[in-house]
């Protein structure tokens, strides 16, 4: 009897553990408890890609409406996805995903040797995507929020009969990146000869004058410039580029810095960028490729063919800078730093919210399936009972 006692205790512990795992499935179906349920061979494909903890402490309060992103995108109708491409945020890679990596009834036609692809709607010769790789730089090279929201509707409506045109939904999307990494990447790009001189910077119907937007260099380009030279230019558009490109510049008098005090201008730009970002149909973060893929798929009900790849080694990451230089870059991009903190918080909250909704729906479906199964089993049992009763009565009649 004494030898059996340890075996009984072990069996009781195993049964208790099994009961606990089953209870956990129902009590905590969300992503927060998944690490406790996951088996040794099942890795979460959406784990924290920057190796930070899976859970984070939210700093901003967003409503469920602001977190839930499920759009009724009508690719057969007139709805249009507009991609706002900010320099050195990984937008080129994401743009290629849009034209080459989405499962569509009518896939984009991408011919070898050509940068642009033809992305027509099913049964129509109209595009459903406004981006660098589908329509080119139709509103100017790296057009910002101010330019796109004015240019795109006018550009597309000019080819349609306004009276007969149904209501069109414009779904703006973009990709953001850690400001320091983005800044260093832009410096390396400029150092190799990039200029973006073709950018129009149109605001309130005109481009800025040379007095409003001076150039940082006198030659054809700024190739070979040092990081110090790049940082020392006071009107370098690389500074706080993400805030500038996501805000409504008409609110601050466009590029005319004399319209309002600098502190007030910065606040208006940052508030505008945050609001526009929050109201966008979708935005992703370069540092979270798989989560970006997940949120886009859930938002637009479109699936990518191949999973996104997280590249943590870039030209910017290979640049070694000291702590003082790091702080200087952060100071130059203080608006972008604040915007990115806001964007990251909103992005991760949306991801966790959408994952929780997904698990709740899966749980509801399992419960419905169990109800259906129980109903079928009860129905079959009633039939079997009826058959048994009929057979018994028949046998009694024969026994007489």
């Amino acid at each position: 009897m004494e030898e059996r006692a340890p075996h009984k205790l072990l069996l009781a512990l195993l049964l208790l553990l099994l009961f606990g795992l089953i209870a956990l499935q129902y009590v905590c179906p969300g992503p927060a408890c998944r690490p406790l349920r996951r088996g040794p061979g099942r890795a979460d494909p959406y784990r924290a890609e920057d190796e930070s903890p899976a859970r984070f402490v939210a700093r901003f309060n967003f409503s469920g409406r602001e977190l839930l992103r499920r759009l009724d995108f009508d690719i057969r109708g007139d709805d249009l996805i507009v991609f706002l491409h900010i320099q050195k945020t990984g937008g080129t890679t994401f743009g290629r995903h849009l034209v080459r990596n989405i499962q569509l009834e009518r896939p984009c036609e991408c011919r070898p040797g050509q940068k642009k692809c033809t992305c027509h709607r099913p049964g129509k010769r109209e595009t459903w995507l406004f981006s660098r790789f589908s329509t080119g730089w139709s509103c100017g090279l790296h057009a910002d929020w101010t330019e796109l929201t004015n240019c795109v509707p006018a550009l597309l409506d000019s080819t349609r009969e306004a009276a007969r045109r149904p209501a069109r939904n414009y779904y703006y999307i973009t990709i953001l990146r850690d400001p320091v990494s983005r800044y260093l990447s832009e410096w390396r790009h400029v150092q190799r000869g990039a200029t973006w001189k073709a950018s129009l910077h149109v605001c309130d119907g005109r481009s800025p004058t040379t007095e409003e937007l001076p150039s940082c260099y006198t030659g054809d380009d700024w190739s070979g410039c040092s990081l110090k030279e790049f940082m020392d230019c006071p009107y370098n558009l690389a500074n706080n580029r993400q805030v500038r490109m996501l805000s409504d510049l008409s609110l601050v008098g466009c590029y005319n810095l004399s319209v309002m005090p600098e502190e007030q201008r910065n606040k208006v730009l940052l508030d505008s960028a945050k609001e526009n970002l929050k109201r966008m149909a979708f935005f992703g973060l370069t540092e979270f490729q798989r989560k970006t893929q997940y949120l886009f798929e859930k938002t637009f009900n479109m699936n990518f063919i191949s999973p996104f790849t997280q590249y943590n080694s870039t030209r910017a990451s290979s640049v070694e800078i000291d702590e003082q230089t790091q702080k200087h870059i952060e100071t130059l991009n203080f608006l972008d730093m604040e915007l990115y903190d806001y964007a990251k918080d909103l992005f991760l909250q949306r991801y966790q919210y959408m994952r929780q909704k997904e698990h709740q729906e899966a749980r509801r479906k399992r419960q419905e399936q169990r109800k259906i199964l129980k109903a079928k089993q009860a129905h079959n049992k009633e039939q079997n009972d009826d058959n048994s009763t009929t057979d018994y009565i028949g046998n009694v009649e024969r026994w007489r």
Side-chain angles (χ1 to χ4, degrees), residues 142-157:
H142 288 287
D144 54 34
W145 172 270
T146 308
E147 293 175 291
L148 285 177
T149 52
N150 285 278
C151 169
V152 175
L155 186 67
L156 295 180
D157 292 347

Side-chain angles (χ1 to χ4, degrees), residues 23 26 38 46-47 51 86 107 121 159 164 173 224 228 287 295 298 320 358 361 380:
Y26 291 94
R38 191 179 301 124
Y46 300 108
R47 66 181 176 83
E51 303 303 327
I86 303 174
R121 308 177 190 274
T159 61
R164 297 176 57 186
I173 65 175
K228 185 179 185 306
E287 290 73 23
L295 285 176
K298 294 301 179 183
E320 295 184 3
E358 182 182 31
E361 290 178 3
N380 292 337

Side-chain angles (χ1 to χ4, degrees), residues 252-268:
V252 295
C254 301
Y255 293 89
N256 186 352
L257 302 182
S258 64
V259 171
M260 63 181 66
E262 182 180 4
E263 185 176 352
Q264 180 184 357
R265 176 185 175 88
N266 289 336
K267 184 181 185 307
V268 172

